[in-house]
Amino acid sequence: MDEMTQVRELRAGAPAPDRGRLAAGRTRLTERVRAGGRHQVLWRRREFVIVAVVAAVTAVAVTVTVLLSGTAPGSRKVEPASTPNVSLKGIRAAQLLQRAAELVEKEPDSAVPRADQWIYTLQMSESPDPGLVKMLGKSAIEQPGWIRYDGSAMASRNPVPKGQKSKLSITKMHLENGGEGDDRSPRELYRVLDALPAGARQTLTFLREKNAIADGQGATQAESDYTEISVLLTADVMPSKGLASLYRALATLPGGTVADHLVKDASGRRVIALSYAREDNPKSGESMADQWLLDPQTYRIVGMRMVQDGKVVGGNAIAARAVVDKAGERG
């Protein structure tokens, strides 16, 4: 029996959570999540949705099921990390985001990728299942992946036991112009970000007019705005001014909190934790929150995870990202 078959069978009997319950935990667990169903939208909301685009997704599915069952054997407490260079005592979310907007806006942008280039991303699972860790013989589960800038293909390497070499798997796609449902290519997302106005209110108005993500039943305007912004915050290629616009718009929304100390992500990096509360876990009643991880030097997002009752129960830290000429290259 091969290793990936064992992974798939690890939790084969677990019930599949429905889309409505999963939507509250919108952490980007997989390298890319592509799903069908064509809608007139500009981009797709990233959720805890598991799709068999790459075999590595099965390694994450355990975390998703455990998250909503109220028990998380692979969860870990949020660990503080100290540094004399960053002071977060008493800072509010709006203050942090305004500071971040001012800094990132001044950064020069890298060259826009060519249509035939690939975006390489290496992610580290924030809360891998203990059984999977033991089987693979690795303490950290890496998820390397590639997507063409024009959205015409994506690639991945399956997780394999330590000492073995994984094969590169390439899947052809057609993400642009609604070719495969309501997802969009990195190029299309970049164009949306590049078109955002500078002001917070103007950005919110722009996003509301586009109404890219249908408002949830009973959702407040602030909740709908947060959903629109959070989707764009996961873009693979982010123009500096576009990110600054998102930060300013997010600063106007309620509910954000900043940890008064740096925390460690899955790669061991010390990062700023910016949290937004979500609906409580429907089974356990425990509090849940999205937690955006920001680099304390650049203030760019380097990961996102779900925190339940003070413990990390899912998500990924971005360990590396680069523009390369072909799938399999790491820059």
Side-chain angles (χ1 to χ4, degrees), residues 9 89 111 116 124 126 173 178 194 217 299 309 328:
E9 293 178 350
K89 296 288 185 180
D116 63 344
M124 308 286 289
E126 279 285 350
M173 308 187 77
D194 197 44
Q217 186 175 5
Y299 285 85
D309 197 30

Side-chain angles (χ1 to χ4, degrees), residues 91-316:
I91 190 170
R92 300 192 305 273
Q95 292 175 308
L96 174 73
L97 289 164
Q98 291 289 0
R99 177 197 300 177
E102 291 175 5
L103 288 174
V104 300
E105 189 174 42
K106 298 174 183 177
E107 295 177 2
D109 287 326
S110 300
V112 178
R114 299 190 314 268
D116 63 344
Q117 287 185 303
W118 296 71
I119 313 301
Y120 159 67
T121 306
L122 176 64
Q123 298 187 98
M124 308 286 289
S125 177
E126 279 285 350
S127 184
D129 181 83
L132 182 64
V133 170
K134 182 178 180 180
M135 188 186 73
L136 297 180
K138 300 176 181 179
S139 59
I141 306 301
E142 297 183 350
Q143 299 173 36
W146 295 260
I147 182 170
R148 264 187 52 138
Y149 186 59
D150 65 2
S152 63
M154 60 188 304
S156 64
R157 290 190 183 277
N158 298 339
V160 296
K162 191 174 182 180
Q164 294 187 20
K165 188 175 182 179
S166 62
K167 288 183 60 178
L168 180 69
S169 175
I170 299 178
T171 303
K172 291 185 177 181
M173 308 187 77
H174 182 67
L175 297 179
E176 295 200 331
N177 302 315
E180 296 206 26
D182 56 5
D183 211 341
R184 291 296 177 263
S185 70
R187 178 166 61 181
E188 287 176 312
L189 288 177
Y190 182 91
R191 288 171 177 168
V192 172
L193 287 160
D194 197 44
L196 291 178
R201 294 299 174 187
Q202 293 91 331
T203 295
L204 289 175
T205 298
F206 179 92
L207 295 177
R208 291 168 185 172
E209 288 176 351
K210 297 298 181 183
N211 195 29
I213 304 300
D215 297 340
Q217 186 175 5
T220 65
Q221 183 62 65
E223 290 170 339
S224 297
D225 290 339
Y226 173 75
T227 298
E228 301 276 354
I229 292 169
S230 63
V231 171
L232 284 169
L233 286 175
T234 65
D236 296 287
V237 184
M238 186 82 70
S240 297
K241 290 183 179 180
L243 178 58
S245 296
L246 292 181
Y247 280 163
R248 291 192 180 100
L250 187 57
T252 68
L253 303 184
T257 58
V258 183
D260 63 2
H261 54 266
L262 296 181
V263 303
K264 286 185 179 180
D265 68 8
S267 67
R269 176 177 46 200
R270 295 179 295 189
V271 295
I272 298 171
L274 172 64
S275 300
Y276 283 85
R278 307 295 298 174
E279 294 179 3
D280 292 346
N281 185 305
K283 285 197 172 183
S284 68
E286 293 177 309
S287 63
M288 300 177 72
D290 292 346
Q291 192 171 84
W292 299 91
L293 307 178
L294 279 67
D295 185 294
Q297 302 297 322
T298 66
Y299 285 85
R300 285 188 174 259
I301 293 170
V302 291
M304 184 186 179
R305 61 193 185 187
M306 173 61 67
V307 176
Q308 177 174 293
D309 197 30
K311 294 182 179 180
V312 179
V313 293
N316 283 317

